[in-house]
Structures are given as C-alpha cells and as structure tokens.
Amino acid sequence: MSTCFFFDSALPLDQTKELLSQAREKYRDILRYFWLSEVGEARPPNIEDDAEYGFDPKCTFLIEWNKERSELLELIPAIFYEAFGKDNILIRDNNYDVVPPPKTID
C-alpha cells in the first residue's frame, strides 16, 4: 500500500485550497494521521503526465502517512474524490500510478 498520494486538481488554486480545508475539517479524525502539503501551482511535468488522461491540472498537493493507523490509507482516495469530484482531481500513488475513483463516486 502506498505511503503517500499525489493529487492534481483541475480547479483554481483558491478553490482547491478551500475544498482541501473542508476535507480536513470533515475528515479530521482520519486525516490527523496524515501530513498534507501546501497547495502549489501545477508544473510542466504534472501537466504533461496528466495530459495522457485528458486531465488539465491547475495545482497540486501531496499527502503522506505518518506511520500510524495503516488501515486508513485505503480511505484516502475515496475521501478526496468525494471532496473534489472525480472530474476535478487526479490521484497517483507512491508508484505514480493513477488511482481510479471508487465505483460509488459519481
């Protein structure tokens, strides 16, 4: 299982920060076991890699596991697909493989 996830957001920086803040609040009991980076603007490598998936990132952030409660790792993609919407975020795992949205996310 991955120890970190990379997130590319198709939303503007301010909106991405707001949705991240909302997710932190809503899922604080889970996310307290993780370190979330600052949100930054997408860089050319992100843009080029994401183009393969028809995705146009505006910004990026990272989440890392802090070595406690490993069972919570599997919840991270679903939390962020729910918070952002599957069309607004692209999630990659530690191996830089795209993590698909859960089937229950519209």
Side-chain angles (χ1 to χ4, degrees):
M1 179 53 77
S2 296
T3 57
C4 68
F5 292 96
F6 304 92
F7 301 86
D8 292 337
S9 171
L11 302 172
L13 189 65
D14 289 343
Q15 191 175 0
T16 297
K17 287 180 178 181
E18 178 59 30
L19 290 175
L20 183 55
S21 177
Q22 290 173 13
R24 281 180 164 160
E25 180 62 27
K26 183 175 182 179
Y27 296 102
R28 69 177 162 263
D29 290 344
I30 295 170
L31 295 179
R32 68 189 180 108
Y33 294 101
F34 296 84
W35 174 81
L36 281 80
S37 74
E38 292 294 320
V39 178
E41 292 188 19
R43 298 178 306 185
N46 302 96
I47 295 166
E48 292 165 11
D49 290 345
D50 291 356
E52 290 180 40
Y53 297 91
F55 194 80
D56 183 21
K58 304 290 184 261
C59 47
T60 66
F61 60 97
L62 166 73
I63 185 170
E64 289 184 304
W65 175 47
N66 76 0
K67 309 287 186 215
E68 295 181 43
R69 306 282 312 264
S70 62
E71 72 276 11
L72 299 176
L73 280 167
E74 66 188 37
L75 302 176
I76 296 303
I79 287 171
F80 287 93
Y81 277 119
E82 178 198 315
F84 283 80
K86 69 176 185 171
D87 295 331
N88 295 322
I89 197 160
L90 187 69
I91 302 173
R92 294 180 188 271
D93 65 15
N94 230 33
N95 297 320
Y96 212 63
D97 294 326
V98 171
V99 179
K103 294 187 188 296
T104 59
I105 302 294
D106 294 324

